[in-house]
Amino acid sequence: MSTNCNDCAGKCPDVADKLEQGSGLVSAPLRPLLILLGGVSIVLGSIGIFIPMLPTVPFLLLAAWSFSRSSPKLRAWLFEHPRLGPYLCNFLQRKGLTRTQLHRCLLGKWAGISLAIYLAPIMAVKVGLFLIATSVSIYLLRLKRLAD
């Protein structure tokens, strides 16, 4: 599998191959279900970019696993995607994010959380949203910083 991911220095195929190790492709009757699961995960992860309570990375990881077990073409598409591929490669292979990726994650997270906190009618919900966003931010800030 080739890659266009400059951030990964050609390591995206290694990550995809590691996901596929073990059982490999599942039997034919299960493949459509895993493809559907991967597709739904991509949609939910993409929505999660804009909605603060919906996580992005776990859904992308689920999609990567689903596609690795069901469709080499979809797996290649996901890891070669110009927007999603670099995040997956950096997170899975290199265990970190670039400064630009970190800034985008934090900016999107806090913009969405700020709106949700403003719109939330109950103080306990506002506090909960703030605590979740703070926890996620601390996690992201503790990740290894990769070269841009």
Side-chain angles (χ1 to χ4, degrees):
M1 176 172 73
S2 66
T3 181
N4 298 326
C5 177
N6 293 332
D7 291 342
C8 298
K11 295 181 181 176
C12 291
D14 294 341
V15 173
D17 292 340
K18 285 179 184 177
L19 284 171
E20 191 177 273
Q21 286 176 356
S23 60
L25 294 177
V26 297
S27 61
L30 293 178
R31 284 188 193 147
L33 295 174
L34 284 177
I35 290 171
L36 179 63
L37 176 64
V40 169
S41 296
I42 292 288
V43 170
L44 291 174
S46 298
I47 292 170
I49 294 170
F50 305 103
I51 297 178
M53 294 306 294
L54 198 59
T56 300
V57 173
F59 284 118
L60 292 180
L61 294 173
L62 180 59
W65 177 83
S66 297
F67 291 159
S68 292
R69 297 291 187 268
S70 61
S71 172
K73 286 182 182 181
L74 289 172
R75 178 190 71 191
W77 170 82
L78 181 60
F79 278 92
E80 293 176 6
H81 191 276
R83 297 283 184 200
L84 304 176
Y87 284 93
L88 278 170
C89 292
N90 284 338
F91 189 81
L92 291 171
Q93 180 71 34
R94 299 172 69 200
K95 308 288 188 229
L97 295 173
T98 66
R99 189 172 305 281
T100 302
Q101 289 172 335
L102 175 67
H103 290 155
R104 286 180 184 160
C105 288
L106 290 174
L107 180 64
K109 179 60 60 191
W110 280 101
I113 282 287
S114 297
L115 178 62
I117 289 172
Y118 176 75
L119 295 174
I122 301 167
M123 182 55 83
V125 172
K126 292 177 188 254
V127 170
L129 289 171
F130 179 78
L131 291 175
I132 290 169
T134 301
S135 300
V136 170
S137 296
I138 290 170
Y139 173 76
L140 290 173
L141 288 167
R142 293 182 73 188
L143 285 173
K144 181 171 70 172
R145 214 62 64 241
L146 305 173
D148 277 319

